């Protein structure tokens, strides 16, 4: 089960990183709310919704896929499927905070990850708090993924 979680976590982490970096590259204004602490502009809402769906799908998708795969094995229990789903989402969350937030956003600071006229935050606290909320969201989602996987 550990190998399964690591494999799906790596796949999910790569997918999540690709979606986040692509969204920054193509439409950086969708991150305005995160960068400014909540400021939004009406013209961004439709684009924002599209990227929100893609980011959430890439975060949750790996967990659901891993839970389904674990449940498809006849010896996997509800707990097995839930733990694998949580582990996958935890790995994706760690990849996000370490690779995307800290290494790319805070340290490398590529030009496509800046918004003209907006002071970009440089504190680690915001990213660590975001990762903590990601772990808290992963717990109930992993239970749901396990339940749906075993019901299928």
């Amino acid at each position: 089960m550990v190998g399964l979680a690591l494999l799906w976590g790596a796949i999910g982490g790569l997918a999540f990183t690709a979606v986040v970096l692509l969204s920054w590259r193509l439409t950086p204004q969708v991150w305005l709310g995160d960068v400014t602490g909540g400021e939004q502009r009406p013209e961004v809402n439709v684009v924002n919704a599209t990227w929100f769906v893609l980011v959430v799908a890439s975060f949750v998708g790996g967990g659901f896929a891993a839970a389904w795969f674990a449940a498809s094995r006849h010896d996997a229990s509800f707990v097995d499927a839930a733990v694998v789903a949580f582990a996958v989402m935890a790995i994706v969350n760690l990849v996000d905070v370490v690779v995307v937030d800290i290494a790319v956003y805070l340290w490398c600071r590529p030009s496509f990850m800046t918004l003209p006229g907006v002071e970009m935050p440089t504190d680690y606290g915001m990213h660590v708090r975001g990762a903590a909320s990601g772990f808290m969201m992963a717990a109930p989602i992993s239970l749901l993924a396990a339940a749906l996987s075993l019901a299928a």
Side-chain angles (χ1 to χ4, degrees):
M1 291 288 177
V2 172
L4 177 67
L6 290 173
L7 173 67
W8 284 100
I11 293 168
L14 288 172
F16 187 83
T17 300
V19 168
V20 169
L21 292 178
L22 190 62
S23 68
W24 266 106
R25 181 74 175 149
L26 299 176
T27 54
Q29 69 272 20
V30 303
W31 295 98
L32 183 66
D34 282 355
V35 170
T36 61
E39 177 189 334
Q40 287 293 340
R41 296 182 185 155
E43 68 273 10
V44 176
N45 289 341
V46 172
V47 176
N48 210 1
T50 303
W51 283 113
F52 176 78
V53 168
L54 290 173
V55 167
V56 169
S58 61
F59 176 68
V60 175
F64 270 88
W68 174 82
F69 190 77
S72 68
R73 298 179 57 211
H74 299 291
D75 60 342
S77 68
F78 174 81
V79 173
D80 292 335
V83 167
V84 167
F86 181 82
V88 168
M89 287 185 274
I91 291 168
V92 171
N93 198 22
L94 286 172
V95 168
D96 174 48
V97 74
V98 172
V99 174
V100 177
D101 293 347
I102 294 173
V104 176
Y105 181 78
L106 291 175
W107 293 349
C108 295
R109 208 46 96 130
S111 61
F112 68 86
M113 290 182 95
T114 58
L115 297 169
V118 176
E119 185 177 336
M120 305 300 277
T122 57
D123 66 323
Y124 290 85
M126 177 180 85
H127 301 288
V128 172
R129 284 187 299 277
S133 67
F135 285 116
M136 288 187 289
M137 287 186 295
I141 293 170
S142 64
L143 296 175
L144 177 65
L148 292 174
S149 299
L150 291 170

